[in-house]
Amino acid sequence: MKRIIGFLTLLSLLVLTACSSQVTDPKTDAWDSYQKRGALTIGFDNTFVPMGFQEKNGSNVGFDIDLANRIFEKQGLKVNWQPIDWDMKETELNNGTIDLIWNGYTQTEERAEKVNFSLPYMANEQVLVAKKASGIQTPTDMKDKVLGAQAGSSGYLKFEEYPDLLKQYVKNNRATQYQSFNEALIDLENDRIDGLLIDRVYANYYLTQKGVLEDYQVFPVGFPEEAFAVGIRKSDKTLQERLNQGLLELYQTGQFQEISDKWFGDDVASKQLKEEAKK
């Protein structure tokens, strides 16, 4: 009887979950569907400060959160923010369980095989973070040291793609993978890893908020420069057009700069977005 009750409880939860979530047909241009339901779903890593993260009170905040909410509010659409396993982001998108990947998502050739991208809207680079007390100041100083990286991140992809820059030095030629940068930074603080490969924007914000930036070395490894963009299903052509239009309008009206100043104290727009906005 207990097993039957347990099964029925589980079944009811699954039914409620299915009814409460909207799965988009991944093979179609779904703009009409978004308009009919008045909403779309964006997948994000809810620990990635300051791009998009969850506060203690449960609210979702961040630079990307503000940008997306502002753009789709003008389109008459509500954004449902869906925390996801970052390592499964493209699978979630192409299964239709989310409609966009928007959370400090780096544009790469490998990812372009699976998704389309919006205009790149923000520049970024991968950096190595290590305690100053460790004496680590260059990639070669990581020889036989333990490295951490987020699973599925652009940093980890570049670690594998350019082995001569960092991989050849670190212990066992591998990186300890974490589900979130928060976990990795905690391990770095407690000396369970010696260095962390991470987005500069995250590293600077996190260490500044903790008041410990001066205790750490933050330096580039030599990987090519990056740009953040929004990941879109290849079939969603109209959504891609509306999103690009929204980014340009935000910059042309100064709203992008307003949001950027709120989170970074500076205009972090990519060179391409600035140039396109002038046309």
Side-chain angles (χ1 to χ4, degrees), residues 206-222:
Y206 181 94
L207 297 174
T208 299
Q209 291 295 308
K210 295 273 289 186
V212 295
L213 182 61
E214 63 182 17
D215 297 329
Y216 287 82
Q217 294 283 3
V218 180
F219 57 90
V221 178

Side-chain angles (χ1 to χ4, degrees), residues 112-250:
E113 295 177 3
K114 303 174 184 177
V115 307
N116 281 344
F117 288 101
S118 69
L119 283 170
Y121 61 91
M122 179 177 172
N124 183 49
E125 67 176 335
Q126 294 298 318
V127 294
L128 192 64
V129 178
K131 287 184 176 178
K132 286 184 178 178
S134 71
I136 297 171
Q137 301 182 45
T138 67
T140 56
D141 293 332
M142 283 295 294
K143 185 172 177 59
D144 297 325
K145 303 289 187 181
V146 180
L147 176 73
Q150 185 184 31
S153 66
S154 62
Y156 183 76
L157 295 177
K158 283 184 167 58
F159 171 77
E160 294 290 348
E161 185 179 356
Y162 300 94
D164 292 345
L165 295 178
L166 183 59
K167 186 175 182 178
Q168 66 168 323
Y169 302 115
V170 303
K171 187 174 182 180
N172 299 323
N173 304 125
R174 61 180 293 273
T176 299
Q177 297 184 61
Y178 295 86
Q179 288 303 307
S180 74
F181 281 132
N182 274 1
E183 297 171 277
L185 282 159
I186 290 170
D187 273 8
L188 181 64
E189 291 169 5
N190 290 283
D191 300 315
R192 288 188 281 268
I193 58 176
D194 302 296
L196 175 61
L197 188 60
I198 187 173
D199 299 88
R200 180 181 288 278
V201 61
Y202 188 106
N204 286 346
Y205 187 89
Y206 181 94
L207 297 174
T208 299
Q209 291 295 308
K210 295 273 289 186
V212 295
L213 182 61
E214 63 182 17
D215 297 329
Y216 287 82
Q217 294 283 3
V218 180
F219 57 90
V221 178
F223 297 141
E225 289 187 2
E226 300 177 347
F228 288 154
V230 184
I232 309 160
R233 269 188 300 275
K234 290 184 179 289
S235 59
D236 252 340
K237 302 296 185 182
T238 305
L239 177 58
Q240 183 179 25
E241 293 172 5
R242 296 300 180 99
L243 179 51
N244 285 339
Q245 179 186 354
L247 285 167
L248 290 171
E249 287 180 357
L250 281 192

Side-chain angles (χ1 to χ4, degrees), residues 98-113:
I98 61 173
D99 302 310
L100 292 171
I101 303 169
W102 194 338
N103 196 210
Y105 186 49
T106 302
Q107 185 172 358
T108 69
E109 291 183 6
E110 180 179 350
R111 288 172 175 172
E113 295 177 3

